[in-house]
């Protein structure tokens, strides 16, 4: 299942992240793509806030992985620096864990992803407008359907 949603403001992005947070479950995998500065980390910050995480969520570009504790732990992976060099079983353990895993630049980890996940491509239109292209793979198709209501 696929859908497209246009976001005009940060407040709308936060509202959409809250809607996504309502669909989370143990083992949830969310894959984000988009150009540098498109809003992947911003979306993750809003998602974390909706999950009750009070820590400041920052991009794990140099550390690759950060974990934030909540009722459902949030594992935030930035695979930007892993293009063509990925081979890390510890990341696969995180991806297949019982927390929520958000992967920025997931295209670099395609061989390590489960068959079911939600992907959101964030396309920049101007300084505030973003077009979100969602695709629910496998059982995540129903989530895209719920988010389109």
């Amino acid at each position: 299942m696929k859908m497209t949603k246009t976001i005009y403001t940060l407040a709308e992005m936060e509202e959409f992240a809250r809607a996504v947070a309502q669909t989370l479950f143990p083992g949830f995998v969310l894959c984000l793509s988009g150009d540098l500065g498109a809003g992947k980390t911003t979306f993750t910050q809003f998602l974390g806030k909706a999950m009750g995480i009070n820590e400041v969520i920052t991009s794990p570009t140099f550390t690759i992985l950060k974990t934030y504790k909540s009722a459902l732990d949030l594992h935030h992976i930035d695979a930007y620096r892993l293009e063509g060099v990925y081979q890390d079983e510890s990341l696969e353990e995180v991806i297949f864990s019982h927390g929520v895993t958000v992967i920025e630049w997931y295209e670099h980890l395609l061989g390590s992803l489960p068959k079911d996940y939600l992907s959101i491509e964030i396309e920049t239109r101007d300084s505030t407008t973003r077009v979100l292209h969602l695709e629910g793979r496998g059982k995540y198709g129903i989530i895209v359907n719920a988010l389109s209501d």
Side-chain angles (χ1 to χ4, degrees):
M1 174 89 186
K2 295 181 181 184
M3 84 171 236
T4 300
K5 179 168 184 65
T6 302
I7 302 288
Y8 296 98
T9 66
L10 281 174
E12 287 181 19
M13 182 70 88
E14 184 171 14
E15 181 181 327
F16 185 71
R18 279 195 305 269
V20 171
Q22 296 300 310
T23 71
L24 299 177
F25 54 84
F28 195 101
V29 177
L30 173 59
C31 298
L32 301 176
S33 65
D35 292 336
L36 288 170
K40 297 176 296 294
T41 299
T42 299
F43 180 85
T44 305
Q45 291 167 338
F46 290 143
L47 184 69
K49 180 179 175 184
M51 293 173 64
I53 295 170
N54 295 319
E55 292 178 66
V56 175
I57 294 175
T58 58
S59 177
T61 300
F62 295 102
T63 59
I64 310 298
L65 167 69
K66 290 184 180 179
T67 296
Y68 303 91
K69 299 291 183 185
S70 71
L72 275 175
D73 290 347
L74 174 62
H75 306 291
H76 186 193
I77 298 172
D78 186 328
Y80 180 73
R81 299 190 177 282
L82 299 178
E83 183 176 17
V85 299
Y86 177 71
Q87 187 58 37
D88 187 341
E89 292 177 15
S90 63
L91 282 183
E92 287 184 10
E93 288 177 23
V94 169
I95 293 169
F96 287 91
S97 74
H98 293 289
V100 171
T101 303
V102 175
I103 307 169
E104 296 185 28
W105 302 96
Y106 77 97
E107 303 87 347
H108 302 276
L109 299 177
L110 287 176
S112 298
L113 295 177
K115 65 180 178 74
D116 300 333
Y117 59 89
L118 176 64
S119 67
I120 302 176
E121 177 190 352
I122 303 174
E123 177 187 346
T124 303
R125 285 287 166 89
D126 59 39
S127 62
T128 58
T129 306
R130 303 294 187 263
V131 178
L132 308 181
H133 302 278
L134 286 79
E135 182 173 1
R137 309 228 179 188
K139 67 183 177 186
Y140 288 77
I142 195 166
I143 292 168
V144 173
N145 192 36
L147 292 170
S148 65
D149 296 334

